Amino acid sequence: MGSTSPTLVKHRKVFYIPGYDPFPPRRYRELFRKESAAQAAISGYQIEMLGALEGAAFGWRVQAEIDGQKTESEFEVLVWSDIVQNSFHASILLTYAALIRTAWIYISTGALWRLMRLRKGPVIAALFPVVALLLQAAIAWAIGFLGWLVVDAFLSTIWNNGLAVGLVATGGAFLLAWQTLRLFKKHDGRIFAHYLMHDFAHTASQYGAYPTALTTRLKRFEGAIAGALVSDVDEVLVVGHSSGAHLAVTVLAALIREGHIPADGPKLAFLSLGQVVPMVSFLPRAHALRRDLKYLSTSDLTWVDVTAPGDGCSFSLCDPVGVSGQGTPQKKWPLVFSAVFTKSLSPERWRALRWRFFKLHFQYLCAFDRPRDYDYFQITAGPRALADRYEGRPASRSRIDHTVSRYTSTEP
């Protein structure tokens, strides 16, 4: 597994594929700026951001000195936040329609019950927006009903027309309930019920197949990475976080399948972080993704999959190839291991983050105050290639790598 001749990386190109995130990509630049400085101070190395990339691509340049070696890395964010934004429903009614449809897809296909056999955390995360939105609807109905009682009682004392009183009271009740739902949506940034509902609805919208707009964008990603593979760098590293992990699988499988990997080019490596692959691969029409998982698992690129049981929003230590029923005797990847949040974070830091689920889901991109063998900044900006860094490292023994998905076909 990995390379037999270690490569000193002097120049690296990093492509970062975000998860389902509607925010501009500059948040990832600022996160890297802040957290890389913190990790460098903790671990005793130097890292400096040099400025933005030239041209239309969004990214930044980094120079690091680690273990006495200097490395320059270029980071490029492969943006699909506009597609995410377009998938958001402005209408509250459409959001509730998406809730019903998405719940039906996961329940009727049996995917929900299979996912529950893996990890409870991401399933709870998937059920949370359903429960939260239904609870909001119940509260809105209760407030509307109370309003109806008050208005009906008041108008009945001053108005003799029972029909008119009923119509006015009912209209007022609907208006009050609707305003309550609008208030919940306005403050969704605190509980993320609407956000998560849009996320799962987008994932399931085609029963596991990619929407057309996303397929087109992935081809653009493929072209960007193919260009880097013929440039003068030592390593091309693709990082996929959360939903970005399965998008990266599809892009990388296409690159290799279509012959875009030059024999004498830079090393190609893939780091998947906090992946939620089963949310897609367990659906009946995810034939293409399952095919790509199988293909990538037997390829010559290095694929390291890092999750952590402390991250309740990912399928921690679930081999995305194995649980999707795509394991073969030729399977080499991914190397699955844990970032071990409970040990790589101090007890004080762990207590501060333990119930901040979204923060923990992004911890892979952040500093650890008790770092072990996972350090995002050494991986993406340091002198060792991913293959060399984890050469000989055993996979986590507690990983799940047997078939759990009901749907394993790679052909429509």
Side-chain angles (χ1 to χ4, degrees), residues 18-19 21-25 78-87 217:
D21 187 348
F23 298 104
L78 297 179
V79 180
W80 62 292
S81 55
D82 56 319
I83 296 176
V84 174
Q85 290 169 359
N86 290 336
S87 72
R217 189 61 55 87

Side-chain angles (χ1 to χ4, degrees), residues 82-103:
D82 56 319
I83 296 176
V84 174
Q85 290 169 359
N86 290 336
S87 72
F88 273 47
H89 301 297
S91 167
I92 293 173
L93 290 179
L94 286 178
T95 299
Y96 278 91
L99 181 158
I100 295 170
R101 185 174 187 272
T102 304

Side-chain angles (χ1 to χ4, degrees), residues 102-114 207 282-285 406-407:
T102 304
W104 169 252
I105 289 172
Y106 278 106
I107 293 171
S108 66
T109 61
L112 179 63
W113 321 122
R114 298 296 177 123
Y207 283 77
F282 278 33
L283 292 170
R285 296 180 192 167
R406 174 183 177 183
Y407 303 99

Side-chain angles (χ1 to χ4, degrees), residues 172-252:
F174 274 111
L175 181 60
L176 191 57
W178 185 253
Q179 290 301 321
T180 302
L181 289 176
R182 289 186 63 189
L183 187 63
F184 278 127
K185 184 177 181 180
K186 181 179 179 180
H187 295 284
D188 192 60
R190 297 181 179 180
I191 61 174
F192 301 103
H194 283 262
Y195 165 77
L196 286 171
M197 192 67 257
H198 292 141
D199 186 352
F200 297 122
H202 182 265
T203 297
S205 61
Q206 304 295 323
Y207 283 77
Y210 289 137
T212 302
L214 188 54
T215 300
T216 302
R217 189 61 55 87
L218 295 183
K219 291 300 291 183
R220 190 186 302 176
F221 293 175
E222 182 185 336
I225 299 171
L229 287 167
V230 294
S231 67
D232 187 23
V233 297
D234 303 305
E235 181 184 46
V236 173
L237 175 62
V238 178
V239 179
H241 175 246
S242 192
S243 299
H246 59 260
L247 301 186
V249 166
T250 293
V251 171
L252 289 167

Side-chain angles (χ1 to χ4, degrees), residues 62-394:
V62 171
Q63 180 175 281
E65 183 171 345
I66 299 174
D67 298 331
Q69 303 292 336
K70 289 185 177 180
T71 304
E72 290 189 1
S73 299
E74 284 191 355
F75 288 74
E76 181 175 338
V77 180
L78 297 179
V79 180
W80 62 292
S81 55
D82 56 319
I83 296 176
V84 174
Q85 290 169 359
N86 290 336
S87 72
F88 273 47
H89 301 297
S91 167
I92 293 173
L93 290 179
L94 286 178
T95 299
Y96 278 91
L99 181 158
I100 295 170
R101 185 174 187 272
T102 304
W104 169 252
I105 289 172
Y106 278 106
I107 293 171
S108 66
T109 61
L112 179 63
W113 321 122
R114 298 296 177 123
L115 292 169
M116 291 174 68
R117 297 182 188 179
L118 296 177
R119 303 296 183 193
K120 294 183 176 63
V123 176
I124 293 172
L127 292 175
F128 168 74
V130 176
V131 174
L133 289 172
L134 291 177
L135 181 60
Q136 289 176 14
I139 293 172
W141 181 89
I143 291 174
F145 179 69
L146 289 174
W148 180 86
L149 291 176
V150 172
V151 172
D152 183 77
F154 174 74
L155 291 181
S156 294
T157 64
I158 62 173
W159 208 352
N160 243 351
N161 190 327
L163 178 60
V165 168
L167 288 174
V168 173
T170 300
F174 274 111
L175 181 60
L176 191 57
W178 185 253
Q179 290 301 321
T180 302
L181 289 176
R182 289 186 63 189
L183 187 63
F184 278 127
K185 184 177 181 180
K186 181 179 179 180
H187 295 284
D188 192 60
R190 297 181 179 180
I191 61 174
F192 301 103
H194 283 262
Y195 165 77
L196 286 171
M197 192 67 257
H198 292 141
D199 186 352
F200 297 122
H202 182 265
T203 297
S205 61
Q206 304 295 323
Y207 283 77
Y210 289 137
T212 302
L214 188 54
T215 300
T216 302
R217 189 61 55 87
L218 295 183
K219 291 300 291 183
R220 190 186 302 176
F221 293 175
E222 182 185 336
I225 299 171
L229 287 167
V230 294
S231 67
D232 187 23
V233 297
D234 303 305
E235 181 184 46
V236 173
L237 175 62
V238 178
V239 179
H241 175 246
S242 192
S243 299
H246 59 260
L247 301 186
V249 166
T250 293
V251 171
L252 289 167
L255 275 168
I256 299 171
R257 191 183 289 118
E258 296 168 13
H260 292 305
I261 314 298
D264 57 349
K267 290 189 174 184
L268 176 63
F270 173 33
L271 176 66
S272 52
L273 302 172
Q275 55 89 5
V276 291
V277 172
M279 289 298 297
V280 184
S281 66
F282 278 33
L283 292 170
R285 296 180 192 167
H287 308 97
L289 176 57
R290 289 191 289 267
R291 181 183 68 242
D292 293 339
L293 285 165
K294 177 182 288 187
Y295 186 78
L296 205 63
S297 73
T298 63
S299 71
D300 290 331
L301 99 167
T302 299
W303 177 6
V304 174
D305 181 70
V306 181
T307 51
D311 173 17
C313 295
S314 75
F315 283 92
S316 60
L317 298 182
C318 293
D319 182 325
V321 176
V323 299
S324 301
Q326 304 309 309
T328 65
Q330 293 75 38
K331 177 178 178 290
K332 295 185 286 186
W333 307 107
L335 168 64
V336 177
F337 67 86
S338 174
V340 202
F341 289 172
T342 54
K343 294 182 179 179
S344 54
L345 295 168
S346 64
E348 298 78 18
R349 184 66 177 151
W350 173 245
R351 280 196 297 270
L353 292 174
R354 186 173 184 178
W355 303 111
R356 299 180 63 184
F357 301 113
F358 286 96
K359 175 65 175 174
L360 280 173
H361 193 45
F362 280 87
Q363 179 59 41
Y364 309 97
L365 311 177
C366 298
F368 291 88
D369 57 355
R370 291 188 177 179
R372 294 161 66 87
D373 69 342
Y374 173 76
D375 179 330
Y376 180 69
F377 307 101
Q378 290 204 47
I379 291 171
T380 57
R384 299 177 65 188
L386 188 70
D388 300 329
R389 178 172 294 279
Y390 293 111
E391 173 72 31
R393 192 202 194 284

